[in-house]
Amino acid sequence: MRLARWIWIGLCVAGASARSATGHRVLVVVPTPGAASDYSDFLDSLKARGLELEVRGAANASVALHGGDGARMYDHAVLLAPTAKRLGSLTAQSLVRFVDDGGNLLVTASSDASPMVRTLATQFGVTLEKRGSRMVDHVGASASGDAGTVVSARYAHVPAVLSQKLLASDAPPVHFEGVGLRAADIPLLVPVLSAPRTAYSVPVDDNAVSEAALDLVSVFQTRSNARVAVSGSTALFSDRLMRADGAGNRQFAADVSQWVLQEKSVLRASSLRHSLATGERPDHYRVGSDVVFELDLAEFSNNAWHTYTADDVQLELTMLDPYVRVTLNHTQAGGADLTTYRGDVRLPDRYGTFTFRINYKRPGLSNIDVRDVVGIRPPRHDEYPRFLSAAYPYYTSALALAVGFLALSAVWLWSAEPKQSSKTGSDVKSACDVKPATKAKSTSEEKSTEPKSKRKSKQKSS
């Protein structure tokens, strides 16, 4: 058995030797200094990966994560004393502060977990079952026949956390002894191991059975990329369960610890750059310009940075709301350990202060949130085009109106008037008829104005 242990450690050194991307100082808190031997396989695997461990007992009052100046004394913390009422000078608030400062935390629990451990778990969206509860499975019991040892192979499909060996269809199951977890429905929290469908949680002194679907191990990543893992079982990392026949505890503990201590699935963005399609980098871009955007991404694993290739890296051009969203194409131009992502962007027809932003969040991977603020200005008076292609119909209608007006004017000015025809005989006759009538009328009027004596004399002479 001891030979197999050292063979396994050697394989870890050969295949998974790596130091964390954020540091190698690890604080391990155990119930008593002598209890560290119960987790020797797990602790030796951490040392084999190049991490520097400092094992402390929970009753040691000098246990602290921050120095007198407020700086972090450790990069990571592993808590293997779930039932201890106190962990040195550590409190739930100090551990949360440690995570806020960028530290990584591995928390283990048990059926008799202390109130501090329960309070700490709730800070990361994990709620433990009632004190004294434990997971049992009478159907899928382990080979020992103990119903308190739950055997589960219900791994979450998160390649960034679990290796392909555990994601295969014939993956070895994990042996679990402890309390069930209830994970909140938040995007930062991912359950990586769930209880089998035949398992349930039951209190020690009660016959009530929890019918809700429970998780066994969950991982949490803050927006600042600090990582936390909460396991409902401390025995999962013990030598006793790691050495059980057919158990996948070794591989599972290695995968989870590598992820929590940021030995893998750590992304880094660098060399954010953008310019015009001509290669020029002005102080302000003009609306409608063609801009080339480039960014380098790398992934840390096996103690080195490697290329990271994905087809879902998107660039957004936002001003309160996104105006442009494009998917970047990846090339190998960044170097052997970098992947360059490139995208061609046509700036919107809107001027103001915009932000180039890549907000890349995927389960298990480090969050990438890169942004650069740029100004987009309207065209100057001498930069507008002489003719707008969109206005061609209006240009055509104006020209047609002018041509039509000139043609109508030409027709009106140069067209001849029709000649008047000569008078006919009937018109002459009617004119002659009118004149005697007028003369007779005037003669009668003259007669009416003459004296009666003269009229009588004229009648006699006639």
Side-chain angles (χ1 to χ4, degrees):
M1 188 66 69
R2 184 174 296 273
L3 179 61
R5 169 189 168 188
W6 286 107
I7 292 177
W8 177 77
I9 294 175
L11 292 176
C12 289
V13 173
S17 178
R19 304 186 78 175
S20 172
T22 59
H24 55 275
R25 301 171 301 172
V26 183
L27 172 64
V28 181
V29 180
V30 293
T32 60
S37 59
D38 296 336
Y39 310 96
S40 58
D41 286 359
F42 175 65
L43 298 180
D44 289 344
S45 68
L46 297 182
K47 295 178 183 178
R49 300 204 301 258
L51 299 172
E52 298 179 3
L53 306 186
E54 185 171 344
V55 182
R56 296 287 189 90
N60 191 337
S62 63
V63 175
L65 293 172
H66 295 85
D69 56 353
R72 286 191 293 110
M73 300 173 57
Y74 302 95
D75 303 305
H76 322 281
V78 179
L79 307 182
L80 298 176
T83 60
K85 295 182 179 180
R86 53 179 299 182
L87 302 176
S89 62
L90 302 181
T91 62
Q93 290 76 16
S94 63
L95 289 168
V96 171
R97 177 191 167 197
F98 174 73
V99 174
D100 291 338
D101 293 342
N104 305 298
L105 186 62
L106 173 60
V107 183
T108 61
S110 65
S111 299
D112 298 324
S114 64
M116 192 199 74
V117 172
R118 292 177 176 273
T119 302
L120 179 62
T122 57
Q123 298 298 317
F124 306 107
V126 177
T127 303
L128 305 183
E129 285 290 278
K130 294 181 179 181
R131 186 178 179 88
S133 300
R134 66 191 184 103
M135 296 296 298
V136 297
D137 186 5
H138 294 280
V139 177
S142 63
S144 63
D146 184 7
T149 302
V150 177
V151 178
S152 176
R154 296 186 62 190
Y155 304 108
H157 188 77
V158 187
V161 179
L162 302 179
S163 61
Q164 293 298 324
K165 184 178 180 180
L166 294 181
L167 296 179
S169 58
D170 57 346
V174 169
H175 290 204
F176 180 95
E177 293 179 1
V179 64
L181 312 177
R182 296 178 185 266
D185 187 14
I186 55 178
L188 302 177
L189 183 64
V190 179
V192 293
L193 179 64
S194 300
R197 303 184 186 277
T198 55
Y200 56 92
S201 175
V202 57
V204 175
D205 299 328
D206 194 355
N207 294 324
V209 176
S210 175
E211 298 180 357
L214 298 176
D215 300 313
L216 304 180
V217 180
S218 297
V219 296
F220 182 94
Q221 181 171 248
T222 66
R223 290 184 174 87
S224 59
N225 290 329
R227 294 176 176 179
V228 179
V230 179
S231 171
S233 172
T234 306
L236 186 151
F237 301 91
S238 66
D239 297 344
R240 178 173 58 86
L241 292 185
M242 280 193 173
R243 299 171 183 176
D245 294 337
N249 292 42
R250 290 183 185 275
Q251 186 64 45
F252 182 79
D255 290 346
V256 172
S257 61
Q258 286 178 6
W259 182 87
V260 173
L261 305 183
Q262 300 208 20
E263 299 176 53
K264 65 177 183 178
S265 302
V266 179
L267 299 183
R268 181 184 64 184
S270 60
S271 301
L272 170 65
R273 53 198 181 274
H274 49 82
S275 62
L276 294 173
T278 58
E280 181 183 359
R281 177 65 168 86
D283 295 334
H284 298 86
Y285 290 109
R286 190 186 65 186
V287 297
S289 301
D290 292 326
V291 177
V292 177
F293 182 93
E294 291 182 337
L295 178 72
D296 295 333
L297 289 181
E299 181 181 9
F300 185 83
S301 62
N302 295 329
N303 201 24
W305 291 99
H306 305 278
T307 59
Y308 175 73
T309 304
D311 297 327
D312 55 354
V313 180
Q314 291 185 331
L315 167 70
E316 292 182 345
L317 184 59
T318 62
M319 186 172 64
L320 296 181
D321 295 323
Y323 279 72
V324 177
R325 182 182 289 116
V326 297
T327 301
L328 302 181
N329 300 318
H330 52 82
T331 63
Q332 207 65 27
D337 57 347
L338 293 174
T339 302
T340 300
Y341 289 81
R342 174 191 173 100
D344 298 327
V345 181
R346 171 69 60 88
L347 298 183
D349 191 14
R350 176 72 179 272
Y351 59 87
T353 302
F354 283 79
T355 302
F356 282 120
R357 184 182 183 187
I358 291 182
N359 188 16
Y360 188 73
K361 294 181 173 63
R362 298 297 181 269
L365 295 174
S366 300
N367 300 326
I368 297 295
D369 192 357
V370 182
R371 61 186 71 192
D372 188 20
V373 179
V374 297
I376 299 180
R377 61 172 179 83
R380 294 192 298 267
H381 67 281
D382 57 346
E383 292 180 335
Y384 287 96
R386 177 68 64 181
F387 297 102
L388 301 177
S389 59
Y392 282 166
Y394 304 100
Y395 300 152
T396 304
S397 61
L399 182 61
L401 180 61
V403 172
F405 175 76
L406 294 176
L408 181 62
S409 299
V411 171
W412 185 76
L413 290 175
W414 281 283
S415 62
E417 295 183 359
K419 297 182 179 180
Q420 296 182 356
S421 58
S422 58
K423 294 183 178 180
T424 59
S426 59
D427 295 335
V428 175
K429 183 176 179 181
S430 60
C432 295
D433 294 340
V434 171
K435 288 181 179 180
T438 306
K439 184 177 181 179
K441 181 178 180 182
S442 60
T443 305
S444 61
E445 290 179 354
E446 291 177 358
K447 288 181 178 181
S448 61
T449 56
E450 291 179 354
K452 290 182 179 181
S453 58
K454 287 184 180 182
R455 282 183 290 174
K456 289 181 179 181
S457 63
K458 286 183 179 180
Q459 290 176 355
K460 287 180 182 181
S461 60
S462 60

